[in-house]
Amino acid sequence: RQIGYRQEAQRLGGIGSCGRELCCSTWLTDFRSVSTSAARYQQLSLNPQKLAGQCGKLKCCLNYELDMYLDVLKDFPAQDSKLFTEKGMAFCQKTDIFKGLLWFSYKEDPANWHTLTKEQVHEILLKNKQKEKVASLEMYAANNLEEEPTLFENTVGQDSLTRFDRPKNNNRRKKNKKRRKPLKPSNKNA
């Protein structure tokens, strides 16, 4: 009988990109349809080579965390929301749902992004609904400037990228490079 690509991958088995045995060959019994919108909600790049499993279809695991992403995104402002300030209109450029941050830039200056929390964005949107304009995004973004604590400590001293760029000590090389005296020709007759 004829089987689909997913059923063939289930039958053959293998190791997935996560390093574990394929879900379809171990525990997954029903194959729900997977769409690219699942990757969009999770803010993954829409690269077909990275999103495709061994069967050539979209990876089944894109559906695993989708419900959690959808629940978290309910509290976030819409991706196409616009903020009106006295400096001009600002657009949302990027969202980080794990940290609760959004990056906005002015229409006139799209390269300069300002980091805002989702609460700050909701506050600005509420003021915009009441026909009020905030002074600027910089006023809100200045409150968010915190240095992240260093989670890594250099104990060995081997993480420097410029450690090979230091000038070499030429004196040491000269000491090691002693000129050898030429060997005297041996006397074969002796």
Side-chain angles (χ1 to χ4, degrees), residues 79-93 103-114 116 124-125 128 132-138:
Q79 186 72 25
D80 60 347
S81 58
K82 298 173 184 76
L83 303 180
F84 296 97
T85 67
E86 293 175 4
K87 288 182 86 174
M89 184 171 40
F91 294 96
C92 183
Q93 298 286 352
W103 284 266
F104 280 83
S105 69
Y106 292 110
K107 183 178 180 181
E108 296 80 25
D109 187 16
N112 192 9
W113 293 9
H114 304 283
L116 303 173
I124 295 171
L125 286 172
N128 287 163
E132 292 180 37
K133 289 185 179 179
V134 295
S136 67
L137 295 180
E138 290 88 347

Side-chain angles (χ1 to χ4, degrees), residues 89-154:
M89 184 171 40
F91 294 96
C92 183
Q93 298 286 352
K94 181 181 166 187
T95 306
D96 185 349
I97 67 166
F98 297 111
K99 293 182 180 178
L101 299 175
L102 293 100
W103 284 266
F104 280 83
S105 69
Y106 292 110
K107 183 178 180 181
E108 296 80 25
D109 187 16
N112 192 9
W113 293 9
H114 304 283
T115 309
L116 303 173
T117 63
K118 65 179 180 180
E119 291 82 15
Q120 291 172 329
V121 174
H122 282 304
E123 180 184 336
I124 295 171
L125 286 172
L126 185 65
K127 287 183 180 181
N128 287 163
K129 260 188 187 173
Q130 298 169 352
K131 305 292 184 200
E132 292 180 37
K133 289 185 179 179
V134 295
S136 67
L137 295 180
E138 290 88 347
M139 186 176 81
Y140 286 91
N143 298 335
N144 299 333
L145 296 177
E146 287 183 20
E147 288 188 29
E148 293 185 15
T150 305
L151 301 175
F152 173 99
E153 187 174 317
N154 180 13

Side-chain angles (χ1 to χ4, degrees), residues 26-42:
T26 54
W27 62 271
L28 192 63
T29 56
D30 63 327
F31 297 111
R32 293 190 319 175
S33 64
V34 184
S35 65
T36 55
S37 63
R40 283 194 195 98
Y41 283 123
Q42 296 176 45

